Amino acid sequence: MTTDANDHDVLREQVALYAVGALDGPDRAAVESHLRQCDACAADLAAFRQVGGALAQAVPQHEPSPALRARVLAAAGRPERMRALPVVVPWLAAAAMLAVTAGLSVYVAQLRERVRSLELQLSDAILRVNEGERRVNVMLRASADLERRFDVISAPDVRRIELAGQPAAPSASARVFWSRSRGLVFTGSNLPKLPAGRIYQLWFVTTTAPVSAGLLNTDDSGRPIVLGTSPDIPTPIALAVTLEPEGGVLAPTGDKYLVGATQ
Amino acid sequence: MWLLAVLVKLGDAAAAEADRAAVSRMARGDRDALADVYDRHARLLYSLALRIVRQAADAEDVLQEVFAQVWRHAARYDVGRGTVIGWLVTLTRSRALDRLRRGRVRPQAAADEALAREVPDSSPGVDLALVSEERAAAVRSALEALPENQRVPLELAYYEGLSQSEIAAKLGVPLGTIKTRMRQALVRLRDAVAGQVR
């Protein structure tokens, strides 16, 4: 496809802008396409490319810092290289000495930068090790927790007790695995979020009086809570959960939230 | 040698050849070649980046991005497309303008993002060609001598990366007028490069 004379005139006007990188979008694509088939415009392009270069050279000149050189070379994944020092030519001896001094001071600056960079890497590495240790500890705790739960659930004397929501929390429910020898796993769901200064307390309801089985530090998602229970606790006829002041109480005082018979 | 090297001007044929050889060495993994190119051109590139982004820290980041890209893409450099310094100048302007535009939109988020991701090739277009110091000085004078209504649109386009429509809106001048003035300005600068003016 060729462009007609009309297009040529329009596009030739745009070549100057294209050459200095001031054209984008469809205009740029049209000029690029035209340049492939028009020698006159291609010749214009060469002249205007020099204007682009000259505009880059026309800015006030500033010296970049020596540290930048170290950064740039380090970013290419290599250790810092010494800048080449001058060959001492007799008639340039004095100038060469100055150059050596300048080269050395640059090198010293680069070494300083390198040391600083290594210090940063070291402190980063220490932080990573600490973070790694923290994660291992979290995993060890989680693993021990799982082991305890499994231990309770797989006990020969384990009993499963379903707890149903009461008028204070009709949609709540819970499941308890209880082994006299190994402890107790509590899994609650839909328990209302605890008000400030209050806590849920689990009770073993016996023929005589309720006995506390522990405080439930349950979270919003109803994560299972493992509780230790005393081996000499009387066999309960039911389990109940009440809302009590933080720290717990010796005998239930608050509303019942969950109740389930052990049979 | 070191002192003589300082005297070698940009655009000089020997320097252009040394640049090409250095890029070939980079393509073969020779990291000293990167240092050579840096030592020859960092001042010019840094000055251009600083003119565009205005902050020294940003200009340094731009240079780091440019040289990282040159190092990675050395093997793909096509010697037929122009001089290495032309390529470097084009890349530097393009990267600096990218940074300037991101800064205009969301300064902090953009900076974080730029650190976190690989910088894409934003297709800088045609490579620029450097001229002798003498010609550059002539262009500098010609630029300063341009009528303000021609100089300002050109500077907004070249150093701030604004499109012609954006320049027209910013200056409150019709788009057609902006196009004409920029074209006139560039023709005068082209003549200055060619030594036909003043």
Side-chain angles (χ1 to χ4, degrees):
Chain A
M1 202 167 59
T2 55
T3 42
D4 61 26
N6 227 359
D7 284 346
H8 169 81
D9 290 341
V10 174
L11 290 168
R12 189 165 193 173
E13 295 280 301
Q14 302 269 38
V15 167
L17 298 166
Y18 170 74
V20 299
L23 213 56
D24 47 22
D27 288 344
R28 184 163 124 186
V31 169
E32 281 175 345
S33 161
H34 178 66
L35 280 167
R36 282 195 284 274
Q37 48 195 314
C38 178
D39 292 342
C41 286
D44 275 2
L45 174 66
F48 282 113
R49 279 177 64 207
Q50 294 194 328
V51 175
L55 284 170
Q57 291 167 271
V59 302
Q61 297 293 294
H62 299 274
E63 202 64 50
S65 69
L68 177 61
R69 184 179 189 272
R71 251 176 76 193
V72 164
L73 299 185
R78 72 187 217 111
E80 179 56 301
R81 183 188 71 145
M82 254 185 80
R83 217 186 260 260
L85 294 177
V87 175
V88 178
V89 180
W91 57 273
L92 281 179
M97 281 309 291
L98 281 174
V100 169
T101 309
L104 280 177
S105 57
V106 168
Y107 184 52
V108 166
Q110 287 165 355
L111 279 180
R112 260 197 214 117
E113 180 62 20
R114 183 79 185 135
V115 166
R116 200 178 68 86
S117 157
L118 286 172
E119 279 173 354
L120 286 175
Q121 285 178 30
L122 178 62
S123 75
D124 186 49
I126 290 170
L127 284 177
R128 279 166 198 246
V129 167
N130 288 344
E131 174 61 14
E133 267 180 19
R134 192 189 64 78
R135 286 186 190 192
V136 166
N137 285 336
V138 167
M139 288 173 71
L140 284 175
R141 276 199 301 275
S143 164
D145 194 36
L146 279 173
E147 208 173 320
R148 266 191 77 193
R149 282 179 209 169
F150 180 76
D151 204 32
V152 171
I153 290 168
S154 64
D157 62 338
V158 70
R159 297 175 69 173
R160 191 176 97 177
I161 303 140
E162 303 289 343
L163 277 66
Q166 299 302 298
S171 65
S173 64
R175 178 171 293 166
V176 170
F177 293 93
W178 174 53
S179 153
R180 179 178 293 283
S181 57
R182 298 187 187 174
L184 181 150
V185 175
F186 177 97
T187 313
S189 57
N190 293 332
L191 272 170
K193 199 173 162 64
L194 283 170
R198 312 285 278 178
I199 195 161
Y200 291 118
Q201 190 163 2
L202 179 66
W203 302 95
F204 276 30
V205 182
T206 65
T207 48
T208 51
V211 178
S212 175
L215 301 174
L216 298 176
N217 291 303
T218 180
D219 60 19
D220 292 343
S221 58
R223 214 161 45 108
I225 305 288
V226 182
L227 300 168
T229 50
S230 161
D232 59 358
I233 201 164
T235 300
I237 52 172
L239 266 60
V241 170
T242 58
L243 187 66
E244 303 295 350
E246 207 165 36
V249 288
L250 290 174
T253 61
D255 288 339
K256 287 198 226 19
Y257 277 63
L258 292 163
V259 172
T262 52
Q263 196 37 256
Chain B
M1 288 300 291
W2 184 78
L3 286 174
L4 289 176
V6 174
L7 298 174
V8 174
K9 298 291 188 211
L10 289 166
D12 184 76
E17 194 43 52
D19 282 346
R20 284 205 185 92
V23 171
S24 302
R25 282 160 57 209
M26 274 187 232
R28 295 194 299 270
D30 179 351
R31 287 157 173 169
D32 286 350
L34 181 67
D36 290 343
V37 174
Y38 180 92
D39 290 342
R40 265 198 293 280
H41 302 306
R43 182 167 188 260
L44 172 71
L45 302 176
Y46 175 75
S47 301
L48 175 61
L50 187 61
R51 168 66 179 82
I52 294 172
V53 298
R54 295 174 191 275
Q55 301 294 324
D58 286 339
E60 293 192 349
D61 288 349
V62 166
L63 241 63
Q64 188 166 350
E65 284 174 16
V66 166
F67 279 97
Q69 185 169 359
V70 167
W71 173 250
R72 284 197 310 272
H73 295 182
R76 281 187 256 160
Y77 174 69
D78 172 12
V79 291
R81 70 190 280 187
T83 58
V84 172
I85 180 62
W87 178 40
L88 290 173
V89 166
T90 304
L91 271 181
T92 302
R93 175 172 175 268
S94 175
R95 288 276 167 270
L97 289 176
D98 284 349
R99 184 165 283 261
L100 188 67
R101 291 190 190 108
R102 286 200 305 263
R104 277 191 197 125
V105 187
R106 295 175 299 142
Q108 192 50 51
D112 294 346
E113 188 186 320
L115 284 175
R117 74 191 161 92
E118 177 79 352
V119 179
D121 187 345
S122 62
S123 146
V126 65
D127 282 352
L128 305 171
L130 289 209
V131 297
S132 68
E133 281 295 329
E134 191 184 339
R135 295 284 163 84
V139 168
R140 201 175 300 133
S141 307
L143 185 65
E144 282 161 11
L146 285 176
E148 192 174 312
N149 65 13
Q150 289 180 15
R151 183 178 47 79
V152 171
L154 184 61
E155 287 182 340
L156 287 174
Y158 192 85
Y159 299 118
E160 299 196 22
L162 297 189
S163 70
Q164 294 176 59
S165 318
E166 287 168 332
I167 295 168
K170 187 180 174 100
L171 300 179
V173 175
L175 178 59
T177 310
I178 289 297
K179 286 184 176 177
T180 306
R181 287 178 184 170
M182 285 179 67
R183 163 90 187 163
Q184 287 167 340
L186 287 166
V187 167
R188 291 180 78 157
L189 298 186
R190 180 196 62 190
D191 294 345
V193 171
Q196 289 171 8
V197 164
R198 275 172 268 278

